[in-house]
C-alpha cells in the first residue's frame, strides 16, 4: 500500500508540474501578444467552424483562462473543468504555430503527458482521483518565502548586446535569488508554489472515514506569467525525449554550490529538490551545474540533463550530462555535478545561463526545464550578473 501511495503522490506532483508547463507554454506568448488571448480564442473558433474540426470540443476564453492557472486549477473552491486534452493541445498548437512555432511544437507533447498522467491517476485513484491528487501534493504551511523578481527575457537579450537569437526569448530565471542552500533549507519537506502561495491540509477522521479540509493560504506575492518560468520554446532535441531507458550513471560532488554563482528557481522531482546554477570559476570560465537536494530519509534516484543558453541559443553540454544521466542522491544530502562537466568561456557581448531538466527515475518524458539567472559578459570581458546591473 505504501508503494502505491508513493507512486500516486509522484504522479500527482508530475501532473502539477506539467500543468505549470502548459501554463507557461501558452501563457508566455499570449502575455506578449503573440498572439493576444482573444485572438487565439478567435482562431480556435474559426477552425472549429470548418468541417474537419466541427466535432472538436469548444475552447472559449473562460476555459483557456482556467487552463492558464496551471496547477492552481486543481485547487479547492475552483470549479473542476476538464484538463486540456491531447485534441485541445493540438488545436492550440495549430493556433500558435505562426506566432510561437517552438511553443507550438512542444505543446502536443505536454498534452500527451497531461492525458497520460490523468489516465494513470484515474486508474489508481478512482472517481475521486482529483481530490486524491490534492491530498498528495498538499503540504503543511511554513514560514513565507520572500518572492523573487524574474527578469524579462527580452530585456536580457537586449542587455547582452547584438546577438543572434535562433529561438524565442528565453527566460532568465530568478534574478537576485537567495543562496540555494538557504532556499532549499526553507523548502525542505514542502513545496514552494510558483505564485508564492501554499496549501495546508487538516485531516479530521470520523466514523465514516477521513475528511480532508483544504485551506488556501496566501503566503507571498504574485509573479507575472510572462516571467514566471521558462517558456515552452525548447526544440525537439530538448523536450519530449524518451528517458525511460536506463541512462549512464554520472559522478557528483558532495555539498552545494560555493563561490561566485547564481542559482535558479528550486523545483522538485519527487523527494529531490533541484536548481540549475551558473558559477564563475577561478580560471575565468563558467561552469553550469545542477544542484540536487534529497529531502527524504532514503536514497532517491533521478534522471538529469544539462545544457546552457548563450545569446538565447541552446548549447549542448558534453556527454553524459548533455544527454541523460542517472543520479542517486543519498538521504538528506545535497550534491552537484562536477565543475568540469559543462563549461564555457566568457565570450564578450553574450549572455549565458544554465538550463536543466530533472525527472523521477523511470519517467517517460522530460519534465519542465529550469534556468539559472543570466550572466552578461561585457565588451571588455567583464562578467556581470543580471541582478547587479
Amino acid at each position: 500500500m505504501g508503494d502505491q501511495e508513493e507512486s500516486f503522490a509522484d504522479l500527482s506532483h508530475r501532473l502539477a508540474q506539467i500543468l505549470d508547463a502548459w501554463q507557461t507554454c501558452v501563457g508566455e506568448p499570449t502575455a506578449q501578444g503573440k498572439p493576444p488571448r482573444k485572438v487565439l480564442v478567435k482562431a480556435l473558433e474559426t477552425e472549429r467552424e470548418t468541417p474537419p474540426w466541427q466535432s472538436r470540443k469548444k475552447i472559449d476564453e473562460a476555459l483557456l483562462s482556467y487552463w492558464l492557472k496551471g496547477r492552481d486549477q486543481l485547487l479547492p473552491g475552483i470549479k473542476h473543468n476538464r484538463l486540456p486534452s491531447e485534441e485541445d493541445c493540438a488545436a492550440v498548437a495549430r493556433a500558435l504555430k505562426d506566432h510561437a512555432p517552438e511553443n507550438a511544437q512542444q505543446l502536443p507533447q505536454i498534452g500527451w503527458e497531461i492525458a497520460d498522467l490523468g489516465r494513470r491517476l484515474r486508474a489508481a485513484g478512482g472517481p475521486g482521483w482529483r481530490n486524491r491528487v490534492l491530498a498528495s501534493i498538499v503540504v503543511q504551511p511554513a514560514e513565507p518565502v520572500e518572492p523573487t523578481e524574474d527578469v524579462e527575457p527580452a530585456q536580457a537579450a537586449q542587455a547582452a548586446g547584438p546577438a543572434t537569437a535562433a529561438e524565442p526569448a528565453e527566460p532568465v530565471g530568478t534574478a537576485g535569488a537567495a543562496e540555494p542552500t538557504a532556499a532549499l533549507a526553507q523548502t525542505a519537506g514542502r513545496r514552494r508554489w510558483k505564485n508564492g502561495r501554499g496549501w495546508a491540509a487538516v485531516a479530521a477522521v470520523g466514523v465514516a472515514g477521513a475528511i480532508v479540509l483544504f485551506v488556501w493560504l496566501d503566503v507571498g506575492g504574485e509573479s507575472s506569467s510572462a516571467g514566471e518560468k521558462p517558456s515552452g520554446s525548447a526544440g525537439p532535441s530538448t523536450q519530449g525525449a524518451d528517458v525511460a531507458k536506463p541512462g549512464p550513471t554520472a559522478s557528483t560532488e558532495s555539498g552545494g554550490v560555493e563561490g561566485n554563482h547564481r542559482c535558479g528557481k528550486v523545483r522538485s522531482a519527487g523527494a529531490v529538490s533541484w536548481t540549475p546554477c551558473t558559477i564563475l570559476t577561478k580560471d575565468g570560465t563558467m561552469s553550469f551545474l545542477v544542484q540536487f537536494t534529497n529531502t527524504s530519509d532514503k536514497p532517491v534516484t533521478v534522471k538529469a540533463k544539462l545544457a546552457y543558453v548563450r545569446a538565447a541559443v541552446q548549447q549542448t553540454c558534453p556527454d553524459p550530462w548533455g544527454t541523460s544521466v542517472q543520479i542517486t542522491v543519498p538521504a538528506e544530502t545535497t550534491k552537484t555535478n562536477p565543475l568540469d562537466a559543462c563549461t564555457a568561456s566568457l565570450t564578450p557581448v553574450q549572455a549565458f545561463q544554465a538550463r536543466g531538466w530533472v525527472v523521477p527515475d523511470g519517467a517517460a518524458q522530460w519534465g519542465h526545464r529550469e534556468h539559472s539567472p543570466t550572466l552578461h559578459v561585457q565588451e571588455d570581458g567583464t562578467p556581470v550578473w543580471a541582478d547587479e546591473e
Side-chain angles (χ1 to χ4, degrees), residues 68-290:
L68 286 171
K69 294 178 184 293
R71 70 176 66 191
D72 284 1
Q73 62 196 275
L74 299 173
L75 285 170
I78 293 180
K79 179 183 176 181
H80 281 177
N81 286 318
R82 61 186 174 90
L83 299 179
S85 67
E86 292 178 86
E87 182 184 47
D88 296 325
C89 292
V92 176
R94 290 191 295 272
L96 282 176
K97 185 176 180 180
D98 293 337
H99 304 274
E102 298 291 345
N103 296 49
Q105 188 175 42
Q106 182 190 11
L107 195 58
Q109 294 176 349
I110 293 176
W112 177 89
E113 186 158 356
I114 292 173
D116 179 63
L117 289 169
R119 285 190 291 266
R120 295 167 67 182
L121 286 163
R122 189 179 298 109
W129 70 273
R130 287 181 73 155
N131 288 332
R132 283 197 61 193
V133 168
L134 281 171
S136 296
I137 62 179
V138 78
V139 292
Q140 294 297 329
E143 72 281 359
V145 177
E146 289 299 321
T148 53
E149 181 182 358
D150 286 340
V151 180
E152 184 64 26
Q155 296 174 352
Q158 292 171 0
T164 302
E167 53 181 302
E170 291 294 335
V172 289
T174 306
E179 289 297 309
T181 303
L184 289 168
Q186 287 178 318
T187 55
R190 63 187 177 88
R191 304 292 178 196
R192 178 183 172 186
W193 298 98
K194 60 180 178 54
N195 58 359
R197 292 180 174 178
W199 284 328
V202 180
V205 181
V207 176
I211 302 175
V212 181
L213 304 177
F214 298 94
V215 181
W216 177 231
L217 299 180
D218 190 344
V219 295
E222 298 287 345
S223 58
S224 68
S225 60
E228 174 57 32
K229 293 183 295 295
S231 73
S233 56
S237 64
T238 62
Q239 288 290 339
D242 181 9
V243 297
K245 59 185 179 182
T249 57
S251 62
T252 54
E253 296 183 354
S254 298
V257 186
E258 297 179 352
N260 188 2
H261 69 278
R262 297 290 189 275
C263 292
K265 183 177 298 181
V266 177
R267 291 193 175 272
S268 63
V272 173
S273 298
W274 64 275
T275 178
C277 306
T278 300
I279 181 171
L280 279 169
T281 58
K282 293 180 180 179
D283 61 0
T285 61
M286 291 167 288
S287 287
F288 305 103
L289 308 171
V290 178

Side-chain angles (χ1 to χ4, degrees), residues 36 127 227 338 350:
Q350 299 287 314

Side-chain angles (χ1 to χ4, degrees), residues 1-10 132 298:
M1 181 68 178
D3 291 342
Q4 287 182 332
E5 291 298 326
E6 183 177 1
S7 176
F8 191 93
D10 182 65
R132 283 197 61 193
K298 59 183 179 181

Side-chain angles (χ1 to χ4, degrees), residues 180-181 183-185 187 248-257 263-277 288-296 299-307 320-321 324-338 341 355-361 366:
T181 303
L184 289 168
T187 55
T249 57
S251 62
T252 54
E253 296 183 354
S254 298
V257 186
C263 292
K265 183 177 298 181
V266 177
R267 291 193 175 272
S268 63
V272 173
S273 298
W274 64 275
T275 178
C277 306
F288 305 103
L289 308 171
V290 178
Q291 178 172 272
F292 310 86
T293 295
N294 183 358
T295 60
S296 72
V300 177
T301 299
V302 295
K303 287 182 181 290
K305 183 169 67 169
L306 183 62
W321 285 91
S324 174
V325 295
Q326 287 181 316
I327 301 297
T328 298
V329 186
E332 300 176 350
T333 298
T334 295
K335 284 182 170 290
T336 68
N337 55 280
R355 174 183 282 177
W357 297 259
V358 179
V359 295
D361 188 32
W366 286 111

